[in-house]
């Protein structure tokens, strides 16, 4: 029977994929600070949502605190301005207040009839509140009241509402009866304030209509909230920034340390002295570097010792074969010839092992200024063949900081490989390019090259792209490993790249010597 197809994985929309790719490219510090900002914004949004729900459930809650004080000051100022005016003068005064607060003002009489201001269809709840809130308390407060001293003279122009101050007193002025309703279609916030004017004045109730909590800045003023949010964000950033910087600094150090270990240098240590997970990770990296150093050191020592121990028996065997060949009484000369070739190959392998061991574990390098051109000529004189073409484009003043013996060995191995694999394909080209702190030396041929996947591995010991280990294909794979070890000891780097249409290019980055002070 047919096997059911696996369910398709949901694919994210392209815009989300692009956004995720951009976020993935952020630094760790940016991600942490972005998370902090998102957290602060989320807390602010939740607080605002709770506030709005509370206001919708009980709009009169807004009268607590600063909102009640603002309404008290507004009512006191309006009472002080209305008291000496006649009814005909009220519309002009209310227009001044409407311009300042950007809200419609409406004054009602005792019967809840409009007296002055912007006409509006009052909801029944507002009319009921305007009628029932008048009582003995307001009547007593209104006898002969003309408003608190020091207020009046109209609203202050400019800004978001007047900036009057409450009159001084031990307990402050007695608040006028006021309330806030949410009513109407569409719903709006209605502010009803009883005005303690003299009995002879027909104005009794002030009604304000606000589409939202923020209109006019009476119920809720956004500026304190914005300033508080900005202060919270700044303080949080100042609190978190040292922590984030320390984390990212230690992670950068660990990244650099792992890159150093990957390059084969195991002597540096992190020493972070942290007690958290990053500290334990740093300790693990240091232990790994120490263990790798011991392992590599043991491997190099083994190679040197093995090569040294093999030299003596090989030399004795070669001497015995030479004696047999000189006597001439052997029954099969071809067998001795084959034995001679095998011994020569073993001797060459042991010599390469010794060269690699000496380059990796020999004497400390003695770095000094070295001219590249004479050293290249010596290497070509040692490794060149009559059928190979050698093209050099190198300034005579090209000077590098290196150990002459190690650099000569590296150049000789590179030229030997180029001659062995590519002498028949075209000239071997050597060029140099100056950089501010380095010389870039290029040795390129037009041979078959190597597979692209092998470019990173050709400098490993005993690694060869060919699956066959026959002598016709070269040595045992130690030549380029010796090159990397020698160049590393000189403080440089080595890399390889393929040429087009074919060929291999080896790049040596060698440091320049420091300029001699005059």
């Amino acid at each position: 029977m047919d096997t059911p197809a696996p369910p398709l994985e949901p694919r994210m929309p392209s815009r989300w994929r692009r956004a995720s790719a951009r976020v993935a490219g952020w630094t760790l510090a940016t991600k942490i600070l972005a998370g902090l900002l998102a957290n602060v914004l989320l807390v602010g949004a939740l607080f605002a949502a709770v506030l709005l729900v509370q206001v919708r459930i009980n709009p009169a809650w807004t009268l607590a605190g600063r909102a009640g004080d603002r309404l008290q000051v507004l009512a006191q100022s309006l009472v002080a301005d209305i008291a000496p005016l006649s009814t005909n003068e009220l519309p002009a005064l209310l227009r001044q207040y409407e311009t300042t607060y950007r809200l419609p003002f409406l004054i009602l009489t005792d019967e809840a009839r409009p007296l002055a201001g912007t006409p509006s269809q009052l909801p029944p709840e507002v009319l009921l509140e305007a009628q029932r809130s008048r009582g003995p308390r307001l009547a007593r407060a209104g006898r002969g009241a003309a408003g608190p001293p020091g207020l009046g003279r109209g609203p202050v122009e400019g800004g978001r509402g007047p900036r009057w101050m409450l009159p001084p007193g031990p307990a402050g002025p007695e608040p006028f009866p006021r309330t806030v309703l949410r009513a109407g279609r569409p719903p709006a916030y209605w502010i009803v304030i009883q005005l303690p004017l003299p009995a002879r004045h027909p104005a009794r109730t002030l009604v304000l209509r606000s589409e939202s909590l923020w209109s006019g800045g009476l119920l809720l003023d956004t500026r304190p909230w914005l300033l508080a949010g900005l202060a919270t964000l700044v303080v949080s950033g100042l609190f978190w920034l040292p922590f984030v910087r320390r984390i990212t600094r230690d992670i950068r150090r660990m990244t650099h340390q792992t890159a150093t270990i990957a390059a084969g240098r195991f002597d540096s240590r992190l020493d972070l002295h942290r007690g958290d997970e990053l500290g334990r990770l740093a300790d693990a990296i240091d232990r790994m570097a120490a263990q790798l150093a011991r392992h590599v050191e043991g491997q190099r020592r083994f190679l040197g010792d093995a090569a040294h121990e093999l030299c003596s028996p090989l030399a004795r065997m070669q001497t015995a074969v030479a004696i047999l060949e000189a006597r001439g009484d052997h029954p099969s000369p071809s067998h001795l010839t084959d034995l001679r070739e095998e011994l020569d190959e073993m001797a060459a392998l042991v010599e390469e092992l010794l060269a690699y061991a000496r380059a990796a574990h020999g004497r400390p390098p003695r770095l000094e200024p070295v001219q590249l051109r004479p050293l290249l000529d010596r290497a070509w004189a040692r490794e060149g063949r009559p059928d190979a073409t050698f093209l050099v484009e190198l300034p005579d003043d090209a000077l590098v900081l290196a150990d002459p013996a190690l650099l000569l060995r590296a150049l000789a191995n590179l030229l030997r490989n180029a001659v062995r694999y590519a002498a028949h394909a075209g000239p071997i080209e050597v060029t140099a390019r100056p950089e501010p702190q380095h010389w870039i030396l290029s040795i390129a041929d037009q041979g078959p090259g190597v597979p692209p996947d092998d470019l990173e591995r050709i400098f490993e010991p005993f690694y060869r792209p060919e699956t066959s280990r026959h002598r016709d294909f070269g040595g045992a794979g130690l030549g380029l490993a010796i090159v990397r070890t020698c160049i590393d000891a000189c403080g440089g780097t080595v890399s390889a790249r393929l040429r087009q249409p074919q060929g291999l290019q080896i790049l040596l980055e060698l440091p320049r010597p420091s300029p001699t002070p005059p």
Side-chain angles (χ1 to χ4, degrees):
M1 59 182 297
D2 296 337
T3 303
L8 297 177
E9 296 183 358
R11 298 188 60 184
M12 298 174 60
S14 58
R15 62 179 180 274
W16 293 111
R17 290 200 301 271
R18 290 193 297 269
S20 300
R22 286 194 295 267
V23 172
W26 290 358
T27 62
L28 181 60
T30 304
K31 291 180 180 179
I32 294 177
L33 293 178
L36 171 64
L37 177 60
N39 185 33
V40 172
L41 293 178
L42 178 60
V43 171
L46 291 176
F47 182 80
V50 171
L51 180 64
L52 292 176
V53 171
Q54 176 70 22
V55 170
R56 284 178 178 269
I57 295 175
N58 183 18
W61 178 82
T62 59
L63 297 179
R66 296 182 52 129
D69 295 340
R70 286 192 293 267
L71 292 176
Q72 175 74 4
V73 171
L74 169 64
Q76 290 175 344
S77 177
L78 190 62
V79 166
D81 287 333
I82 290 177
L85 300 181
S86 64
T87 303
N88 295 333
E89 295 174 316
L90 290 181
L93 177 65
L94 293 184
R95 282 195 295 271
Q96 295 181 23
Y97 278 85
E98 289 178 346
T99 302
T100 301
Y101 287 95
R102 296 188 293 275
L103 290 176
F105 278 59
L106 181 63
I107 292 182
L108 305 179
T109 63
D110 277 332
E111 295 78 14
R113 289 185 292 103
L115 179 64
T118 302
S120 179
Q121 183 68 33
L122 300 178
E125 300 92 331
V126 178
L127 291 173
L128 180 62
E129 182 64 31
Q131 292 175 349
R132 74 181 181 182
S133 60
R134 305 204 50 88
R137 177 191 175 200
L138 183 58
R140 288 194 300 268
R143 283 197 296 267
L151 296 177
R153 296 180 300 278
V156 178
E157 297 296 333
R160 295 191 58 187
R163 298 294 181 266
W164 296 296
M165 298 297 293
L166 290 174
E174 183 181 0
F176 299 163
R178 56 189 181 269
T179 187
V180 179
L181 303 174
R182 191 168 188 270
R185 293 291 184 272
Y189 293 95
W190 299 85
I191 305 172
V192 181
I193 305 176
Q194 302 303 329
L195 303 177
L197 289 166
R200 60 180 175 80
H201 205 291
R204 288 292 177 266
T205 306
L206 171 65
V207 178
L208 304 176
R209 182 178 182 273
S210 177
E211 298 292 340
S212 67
L213 294 173
W214 297 276
S215 298
L218 289 175
L219 296 179
L220 285 180
D221 191 357
T222 58
R223 284 176 298 177
W225 299 100
L226 293 178
L227 291 177
L230 181 61
T232 302
L233 182 60
V234 171
V235 171
S236 300
L238 294 177
F239 180 80
W240 279 90
L241 190 59
F243 173 72
V244 173
R245 290 184 61 183
R246 186 182 178 190
I247 288 180
T248 54
R249 179 195 62 194
D250 292 343
I251 291 178
R252 284 194 300 269
R253 288 183 59 187
M254 286 187 284
T255 302
H256 177 73
Q257 175 71 0
T258 53
T260 302
I261 294 174
R265 297 187 289 272
F266 311 110
D267 53 345
S268 62
R269 295 293 181 267
L270 285 169
D271 297 329
L272 290 186
H273 304 294
R274 297 177 61 112
D276 54 7
E277 289 81 0
L278 287 180
R280 290 192 288 272
L281 177 59
D283 292 341
I285 292 176
D286 287 342
R287 290 196 302 270
M288 179 184 67
Q291 188 172 357
L292 286 174
R294 289 192 296 269
H295 175 73
V296 173
E297 180 72 15
Q299 182 187 33
R300 291 172 178 173
R301 189 180 302 276
F302 168 76
L303 288 176
D305 294 344
H308 180 74
E309 293 297 329
L310 286 173
C311 284
S312 296
L314 282 174
R316 290 193 293 270
M317 292 172 65
Q318 288 175 326
T319 302
V321 171
I323 293 174
L324 289 177
E325 290 177 341
R327 290 176 59 181
D329 56 355
H330 48 81
S332 178
S334 61
H335 291 170
L336 289 177
T337 301
D338 292 340
L339 181 59
R340 165 66 69 180
E341 292 177 355
E342 296 294 339
L343 287 174
D344 290 341
E345 184 177 357
M346 291 180 64
L349 174 59
V350 171
E351 183 63 28
E352 286 191 355
L353 284 174
L354 277 175
Y356 177 71
R358 289 167 183 167
H361 190 60
R363 60 172 176 81
R366 292 191 292 268
L367 303 182
E368 60 184 60
V370 179
Q371 289 188 343
L372 281 177
R373 184 58 186 263
L375 214 61
L376 273 170
D377 292 339
R378 287 176 57 189
W380 181 254
R382 180 189 301 180
E383 304 296 340
R385 292 194 323 217
D387 60 336
T389 305
F390 187 50
L391 300 179
V392 181
E393 295 182 6
L394 186 66
D396 294 334
D397 60 345
L399 201 65
V400 299
L401 186 66
D403 185 302
L406 295 179
L407 184 56
L408 177 62
R409 184 179 299 166
L411 294 176
N413 281 10
L414 290 175
L415 293 178
R416 183 189 310 129
N417 277 0
V419 169
R420 177 182 297 167
Y421 292 103
H424 62 283
I428 299 170
E429 304 170 3
V430 180
T431 59
R433 182 179 75 252
E435 297 287 341
Q437 303 294 331
H438 300 83
W439 277 94
I440 307 298
L441 183 66
S442 168
I443 300 177
D445 60 54
Q446 300 179 16
V450 297
D453 296 338
D454 293 330
L455 280 177
E456 297 296 329
R457 302 192 60 190
I458 59 176
F459 296 101
E460 297 178 5
F462 301 106
Y463 181 80
R464 291 180 55 198
E466 298 88 4
T467 57
S468 171
R469 293 290 179 175
H470 194 268
R471 66 173 62 95
D472 295 337
F473 293 96
L478 284 171
L480 292 180
I482 294 173
V483 170
R484 185 176 67 177
T485 304
C486 293
I487 298 301
D488 287 345
C490 294
T493 59
V494 59
S495 60
R497 64 177 61 173
L498 295 177
R499 304 182 70 189
Q500 297 298 331
Q502 67 178 20
L504 183 66
Q505 182 183 24
I506 304 296
L507 296 175
L508 304 180
E509 184 177 307
L510 298 169
R512 285 186 168 190
S514 301
T516 304

